Amino acid sequence: MGVKVISNADNLQVLYEDNHIIAINKRPGDIVQGDKTGDIPLSEVVKKYIKVKYNKPGNVYLGVPHRLDRPTSGIVIFAKTSKVLPRLNKLFAEKEAKKTYWAIVKNAPPKKNDILTHWLKRNTKQNKSYAHKKEVTDSKKAILEYRILKKLDNFYLLEVDLKTGRHHQIRSQLTAINSPIKGDLKYGFNRSNNDGSIHLHARKLSFTHPVKKEPINIVAPPPNDPVWNASC
């Protein structure tokens, strides 16, 4: 196993920051919010960063309007005030934020670009979602659009635009077309990555600032590894 480089207050990759929100380029392996593992979540790391940078006394407020899976990387937005959190929650809930991901897959999808529609059913015990071609009991409709950006030596770089936000949506839907993401054992890739990551990266996020009402476009560089480096 490789060495995981987990974020701390000194190595945070801050992509955007103002008085209301802060955007971080999450490293693979970071958890956004605390869970049963007891590992220090990214939210606490960002709080420490804010506390030190602005010399804030007492507890630092930080709201979490959305999340990324632990093995993925890319853009995570946090609310710096309680006033802006419900506005960000609404923005994500109503799909007013445009999310674009990059994914590295070994098998080329059937088409160079396509819109995929599936019905995802979540298995909470397995923490996994299964994609069905037709609606089944307790399933939710999932839509994404992908395009092949680049053919690498042994892989393909896909750009994925999410139209819905479902549990493990990209991972499940790409597996359904026989293009599992590199390193994603849970969804059918044959080998794990040394550091436990998967090659799925939240690349771009575009939205209207909930306070300033101006367009915000954030782009996150992918992690520094040979496959990602070859894709850029």
Side-chain angles (χ1 to χ4, degrees), residues 48-215:
K48 184 178 178 182
Y49 160 84
I50 292 170
K51 186 178 182 67
V52 172
K53 181 177 179 180
Y54 300 102
N55 195 24
K56 283 183 171 284
N59 293 329
V60 172
Y61 177 87
L62 198 74
V64 185
H66 75 129
R67 295 161 187 79
L68 285 180
D69 297 340
R70 185 164 193 170
T72 67
S73 57
I75 302 166
V76 180
I77 295 280
F78 295 99
K80 292 174 72 175
T81 69
S82 56
K83 177 182 176 183
V84 84
L85 178 61
R87 299 184 190 185
L88 284 174
N89 287 339
K90 185 172 183 286
L91 186 143
F92 283 107
E94 296 182 0
K95 310 297 183 290
E96 292 172 2
K98 185 177 186 291
K99 298 178 182 178
T100 301
Y101 288 76
W102 278 3
I104 302 280
V105 300
K106 190 168 183 67
N107 303 324
K111 300 177 182 178
K112 289 184 177 179
N113 57 277
D114 200 7
I115 295 175
L116 303 181
T117 302
H118 292 96
W119 293 88
L120 297 193
K121 184 166 183 175
R122 183 173 181 175
N123 183 315
T124 51
K125 287 185 179 179
Q126 294 179 317
N127 189 31
K128 186 174 178 179
S129 289
Y130 291 86
H132 300 267
K133 291 183 178 179
K134 295 182 180 179
E135 185 174 7
V136 298
T137 305
D138 296 328
S139 62
K140 294 181 178 180
K141 194 174 188 179
I143 304 170
L144 63 76
E145 183 174 5
Y146 76 82
R147 65 199 65 83
I148 299 175
L149 285 187
K150 191 174 183 180
K151 185 185 186 308
L152 309 174
D153 287 344
N154 298 304
F155 303 99
Y156 293 84
L157 171 64
L158 308 185
E159 185 166 82
V160 179
D161 289 328
L162 275 183
K163 308 299 183 185
T164 55
R166 306 299 183 201
H167 176 260
H168 291 181
Q169 178 178 337
I170 297 173
R171 299 166 69 180
S172 179
Q173 286 194 274
L174 290 183
T175 290
I177 60 168
N178 195 34
S179 294
I181 295 166
K182 182 180 182 300
D184 198 356
L185 282 178
K186 183 182 286 263
Y187 284 92
F189 200 81
N190 62 342
R191 224 175 29 239
S192 62
N193 290 335
N194 288 337
D195 62 358
S197 70
I198 63 174
H199 277 71
L200 178 63
H201 179 68
R203 170 67 173 171
K204 301 175 190 172
L205 186 65
S206 301
F207 58 96
T208 299
H209 195 289
V211 179
K212 298 178 179 178
K213 304 303 179 187
E214 61 189 27

